[in-house]
């Protein structure tokens, strides 16, 4: 099968997330990096391009120039990967969608609900695919949770306890104090820190797994570590349409947690536990209390989830495989677009609309917190 | 050392908690059951008394009669153990305290703040010891958590995540439907179900471990399982004096949880995790993220906690040992009262004042929930 | 029901195991300590007796005197508990059995196969009950393993991996060097250290759980910690009658292990894992690899095991409950002997014959090791 | 940096391990697949080549032809990856080494000690790099174990307990009976099944982590599942030079285990536990029994191990990253060979000599088992 070509915006020297996207795409070898605007500094951009084997004439200094030039080439990129800081997601996505190029954008999608809605509408109008890389939902076990719940075998969902604590920013001077500094600047962050970074993952994970729609939220967003000006510990009470409830907790000073996205879902006839740091397994507890642990690769894993595995059970897959699974479906859909076989139910990755939900969630929480921890309807 | 004599109110045929108190006291063999009012039905009372080897003349039909008769005997009981349903704790405790007899009462202490305050004042006035059996805090590891936090080695407490989910009442017809029925009668339950049964354990555990005082609460108390009229899933946001925060979750339909009281405490320089169902260990995470597991019996356990161990590490102690530890201190204090060496700092068990805190906590949560999940100051 | 009377030999000041037996018997309150020979030093014996509330005329200086005097009394003890060092088990058990008194003896039973056989024959001849307190097999979950295997639902047993590592004697000077010293004296220890103390527990646990009979062993018994003269690390390959195999490992210098008796049993259609330090649960894995965790107190626990639980699931039971379960059956059988309703299938505790198996196992291993790690038939 | 070119022998349709090697190499994007002999069937070979984007003239029908043709080209492959069944490793490796091409070969290296020695000598004579892909030792945490032990901080190693049980072949008809069939043919398997597949991983893991050299072995190799003719459950007692000891267990019918390579190492002053299925963490227990869990990405991980991480802690890395780490060092060494900066201490991957050790280990075990489980010196 012909490999697709892609370009990257962001991902210059020292970028963790750009590097992760490139490796994840490499894993399946279905797309090749051909163009980039890796940094606003021309030298850094050229340097990264050279290291990655990009032709110098396809190393661009501005995303705008890149979008136009690539759209004009016969062998231009099939899709663009946007891995810049949050504040620039909106104009960059807009530029590539306008130029008729499919877009994969890192989360959170953008700063305002209006921006997110505009991007979704633009992609729809142009008939373009628009992915937002909530990576964790690429895991086979996360998809299994989704499919078990969808099957109805555990009955209705009653309550969801979800959390994403981290401990790496427990002190103002952790990570050279940088984390404290740029998070002080609302212009760069959109006035939110921990809830934007981690809370959107929780919101998306629960949404993808359960299909529940949030009706309203009551949020408490605290600034705890001395020297910080934006939230670093957040608790959100949630009510979903249909009556189920949830609690989401995120923190950046919870020493002992690395990346501890954990979702527990309690249903009428059983419950489910999923933990991002142990993504090879999922625990399902039946009504009699007996707890069963399934591993990726087992026969009991639902087929719609199992098909994303690359290795037999017992050979751990991790974060890059989860991201590669998003790209697997995204690339599959691009190919279907190109050969005219695309249909919407082919999409098995988070879209701009999921990104939009994340932005709505953040803004409802900000309002709830601002007004004294009251209920705010989404 | 001379054994003490005690009497029991409640604990007749089929009572789990009365049986547990008797076994826990037996464990150390420092007190002997000599009198009882095990049931309001005379026959059942006599039958239990006979099974337990109690002299028929000390099997009483009413607690009032028992309090007076035992107080009048030269060899009367040294303390009374109250293990009746919650609604009768207040008059029974009052009767024995009035009669000049030390009292150990099961939790929650009583239905109203006024009752609890009256009992505390009465015990104080009479110079009597008044224990409320929040059993879990008897564990060596729970006391170790308390002593580590008190030492200040982990710095100030920032946030507390505590929960006590159970799954045994996930359906209206679980346990013969009885649980759903009597919980429907506010006269018997004080208008609260799950939060009274489990939430007070959470409140007490956090209070004992951290020493934090609750300033205000915001509670959401839901009635979820069809057929139930009182709360069976509760979330409480907490603010403590001094600025730390917490979240308490309790549930009775969380399938997969037996008795899952779990407390996680995040401090400036480390964090702690304690889990009632694995009471032999405690996890302490240092600022660098390295997680250390300590077991009861290890040299690193603080001496004020370690002294309560009966067996070497690796020989599991459990629930009865935790309760026996409360009685160990309670009996030690009674003896000190009797020989005139008592001083308040000798007390290492939860007192009526802890029970009072629990009642205040419940009532503040009920008010918060009733008024739309607003903040209520304790 | 009338309480039984018992006496204790050993269990003086500082004895862990004597104290544990007394507490375990207290737990159910079905027998009362009335006589004792707690120490060979008369003063220590009287002191312990006084602390335990024993009448001075029933504090004996020699076990022989005690056996005769108690047998002669109308209200003499119903059974004797032998908790002295291993070397004296044989003469003491013999004295009490000869006097017509039921005996409970700590493990390992005695030093030679001949002694063990003699004691078993004596008990049989006299119609007396003779228990050897392999405590761990009293756990509800251990009995559940036994009953699952006996049901045949997992198919034939193929291999058993069992171990009991400890770390408390990793250095010659641990525990004041005492452990190194008395273990140097073959007269006191019977020429075996770690395998006698821990290996017999492994042997008994596997035997009780599986019902398998050992055909032959190949043992490697190493002396590793400098300053020690007897084995402190042992590996035994086992072949059972019928073709199944096993490996037993014991160690005293395995830092990180407290009392880590762990048994894993692999059958045709599933496997089982049981761990002494987490005795409230048992893991059963089905043929498809899905691992299920059951807790004591669940409906799925086999009735012959479940009946020994005292507390609902989630209220941890531990070591003392396991020992109390042995005494529950032992006392039940004594009562049946006394009222003429006894039948052998009433016995649900380890007997002298289990103790005899342990002695045979040790001697076969010693021979195998001595002759260069060859196969030795039991 | 210029990308290297590589070729693959084996890895045709349905090959798990060939696919894994290609993905692992892709992960870093430092080498590109340019040639292959993917199958002995020309059509299958061409088909795989086409799917992988290989030029048809570089899809070869025999490895011999491939070795010669690639050696003759100016742009020929820099290294060959051998992922055929074990029986053909020897002639293929020989062909490429003879042609002057660096070789990466899957484990176990080959069937006889003589073959393995010949290949090692050939690589040395030619100045070629020769890797054997014991994948698991690529994990950051495995390298950390190695570096902690090398540092001496835990004191001398006393004993090693290592195991690699699997459960996927618990029945003769598992996997369509195929596993039972080809394993019956000694010509294809070298007369060994489970010990060759899994035991060599155990042997290599312990060797890499500890640096210990095996002095002698005593092996018991059992054929258990009906219908199988070669070993499917093996226990090996090991004595190392210097006096430490070990036990290795492997099985293919141990239901409940996927790929459970687990190594526990007990030293004078602490112990270490490492588990392949949870490769992000390592447990180190200090002399006081306190168990500490470290995660990849933590500051406490030794620098020589930490440098192989690609993602921050909490973003799980897995099997492919471990394999990619072997290739990272291998490719680094090839580049150093090419630019003349190579030195042997640059090698941080398992070499032909490690493969040779594995073959020696197997043959010593086979002899021990054949002669009645006696000690055999390596």
């Amino acid at each position: 099968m012909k490999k697709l070509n892609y370009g990257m915006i962001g991902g210059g020297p020292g970028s963790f997330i750009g590097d992760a996207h490139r490796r994840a795409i490499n894993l399946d070898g279905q797309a090749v990096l051909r163009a980039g605007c890796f940094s606003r500094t021309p030298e850094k951009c050229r340097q990264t391009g050279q290291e990655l084997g990009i032709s110098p004439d396809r190393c661009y200094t501005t995303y705008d120039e890149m979008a136009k030039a690539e759209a004009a080439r016969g062998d231009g990129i099939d899709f663009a990967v946007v891995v810049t800081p949050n504040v620039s997601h909106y104009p960059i996505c807009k530029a590539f969608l306008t130029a008729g190029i499919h877009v994969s954008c890192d989360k959170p999608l953008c700063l305002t609900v209006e921006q997110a809605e505009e991007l979704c509408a633009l992609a729809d109008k142009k008939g373009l695919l628009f992915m937002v890389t909530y990576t964790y939902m690429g895991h086979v076990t996360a998809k299994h949770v989704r499919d078990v719940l969808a099957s109805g075998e555990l009955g209705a969902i009653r309550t969801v306890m979800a959390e994403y604590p981290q401990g790496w920013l427990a002190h103002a001077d952790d990570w050279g104090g940088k984390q404290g500094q740029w998070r002080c600047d609302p212009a760069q962050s959109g006035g939110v820190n921990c809830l934007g970074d981690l809370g959107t993952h929780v919101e998306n994970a629960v949404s993808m797994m359960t299909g529940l729609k949030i009706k309203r939220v009551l949020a408490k967003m605290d600034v705890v570590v001395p020297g910080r000006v934006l939230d670093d510990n957040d608790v959100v009470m949630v009510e979903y349409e249909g009556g189920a409830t949830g609690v989401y907790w995120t923190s950046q000073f919870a020493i002992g947690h690395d990346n501890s996205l954990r979702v527990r879902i309690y249903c009428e006839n059983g419950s489910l536990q999923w933990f991002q740091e142990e993504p090879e397994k999922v625990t399902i507890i039946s009504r009699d209390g007996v707890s069963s642990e399934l591993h990726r690769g087992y026969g009991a894993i639902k087929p719609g989830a199992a098909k994303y595995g690359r290795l037999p059970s017992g050979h751990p897959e991790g974060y890059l495989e989860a991201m590669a699974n998003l790209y697997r479906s995204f690339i599959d859909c691009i190919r279907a677009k190109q050969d005219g076989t695309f249909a919407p139910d082919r999409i098995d990755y988070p879209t701009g609309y999921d990104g939009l939900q994340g932005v709505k969630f953040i803004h409802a929480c900000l309002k709830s917190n601002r007004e004294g921890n009251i209920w705010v309807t989404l």
Side-chain angles (χ1 to χ4, degrees), chain A:
Chain A
M1 212 158 353
K2 202 182 124 288
K3 295 187 180 194
L4 299 186
N5 298 319
Y6 78 98
M8 181 170 275
I9 303 88
S15 159
F16 145 61
I17 197 70
D19 188 64
H21 279 251
R22 292 191 296 257
R23 290 182 195 280
I25 296 172
N26 275 356
L27 206 58
D28 284 342
Q30 296 299 312
V32 181
L33 181 64
R34 298 292 186 193
C37 171
F38 304 107
S39 168
R40 277 171 293 189
T41 317
E43 254 171 83
K44 284 188 185 172
C45 182
R46 261 196 307 272
Q47 182 205 329
T48 301
Q50 195 175 355
E51 280 166 11
L52 295 167
I54 308 299
S55 162
D57 66 313
R58 294 178 84 174
C59 288
Y60 303 93
T61 315
T62 71
Y63 61 81
D64 216 52
E65 181 195 357
M66 177 175 167
K68 285 170 185 154
E70 289 292 323
R73 293 176 73 109
D75 64 348
I77 56 174
D78 295 290
F79 66 93
V81 174
V82 182
V83 287
T84 57
N86 310 346
V87 71
S88 58
H89 286 179
Y90 165 71
I92 300 174
C93 290
K94 190 173 170 181
F96 283 88
L97 291 171
T98 302
I101 294 168
H102 302 295
V103 169
S104 161
C105 181
D106 204 43
K107 52 63 54 183
L109 180 50
C110 47
L111 301 191
T112 72
V113 173
E114 293 69 27
Q115 291 172 345
E117 284 174 337
E118 185 190 339
L119 293 177
C120 287
L122 180 57
D124 284 353
K125 194 182 119 195
K126 291 272 194 173
L128 292 169
L129 299 171
F130 186 21
M131 176 161 83
V132 178
T133 49
Y134 287 106
T135 303
Y136 306 128
M137 290 306 95
H139 281 295
V140 168
T141 48
K143 291 177 189 291
H144 179 70
V145 169
R146 176 195 65 188
D147 293 353
V148 167
L149 290 172
S151 78
E153 61 202 70
L154 298 184
I157 296 168
R158 288 172 164 179
T159 203
V160 177
M161 300 300 292
E163 63 183 40
Y164 192 157
Q166 296 183 331
W168 66 307
L169 295 174
H171 292 84
D173 58 354
D174 280 344
W175 296 80
K178 278 192 189 174
Q179 294 293 340
Q181 285 160 30
W182 82 262
R183 280 168 163 80
C184 295
D185 181 2
Q188 280 191 66
S189 66
V192 64
N193 164 23
C194 179
L195 194 77
D197 191 17
L198 309 181
T200 49
H201 272 302
V202 176
E203 180 276 326
N204 181 257
V206 175
S207 169
M208 295 281 281
M209 287 174 167
T210 66
L212 292 171
K213 304 282 177 218
I214 295 178
K215 199 171 71 183
R216 58 179 196 156
V217 295
L218 186 162
K220 186 168 195 299
M221 302 172 66
D222 292 323
V223 185
V224 176
V225 176
R228 211 154 285 165
V229 300
L230 292 175
D231 64 300
D232 52 9
N233 194 70
D234 309 280
V235 179
V236 186
M237 290 181 177
V238 179
E239 282 186 6
Y240 306 99
E241 290 175 14
T245 60
V247 178
Y248 301 169
W249 171 52
T250 59
S251 183
Q252 288 170 333
F253 60 71
I255 291 173
H257 296 289
D258 293 337
N259 229 11
S260 303
L261 175 59
R262 188 187 306 259
V263 181
R264 300 181 289 176
I265 302 169
Y266 300 93
C267 305
E268 279 179 309
N269 299 318
S271 63
L272 284 153
Q273 302 190 2
W274 182 86
F275 182 32
Q276 188 274 135
E277 294 187 35
E278 296 180 355
E280 290 284 275
K281 69 184 185 193
V282 55
T283 303
I284 300 186
I285 305 107
S286 54
R287 191 172 157 177
D288 60 3
V290 177
S291 171
S292 295
E293 187 180 297
L294 272 82
H295 296 191
R296 186 189 54 76
Y298 282 13
I301 297 289
K302 301 278 182 192
K307 69 180 180 190
Y308 284 96
R310 288 170 184 78
L311 301 168
S313 66
H315 301 77
E317 297 190 346
Y319 179 86
L320 291 178
E321 280 89 347
M323 190 181 275
N325 289 344
L326 301 190
Y327 278 106
R328 180 182 286 188
S329 176
F330 185 59
I331 287 171
D332 169 71
C333 287
I334 292 176
R335 284 183 166 140
K337 281 274 181 185
Q338 292 176 345
D339 66 16
T341 61
F342 177 78
D345 65 0
R346 196 155 185 157
I347 292 179
D348 193 13
Y349 57 80
T351 70
Y353 287 99
D354 295 301
L356 168 59
Q357 273 309 108
V359 180
K360 283 184 179 171
F361 170 76
I362 291 174
H363 283 276
C365 290
L366 282 167
K367 186 177 177 198
S368 171
N369 188 58
R370 209 165 42 228
E371 304 193 359
N373 321 118
I374 60 162
W375 285 103
V376 172
T377 302
L378 252 74

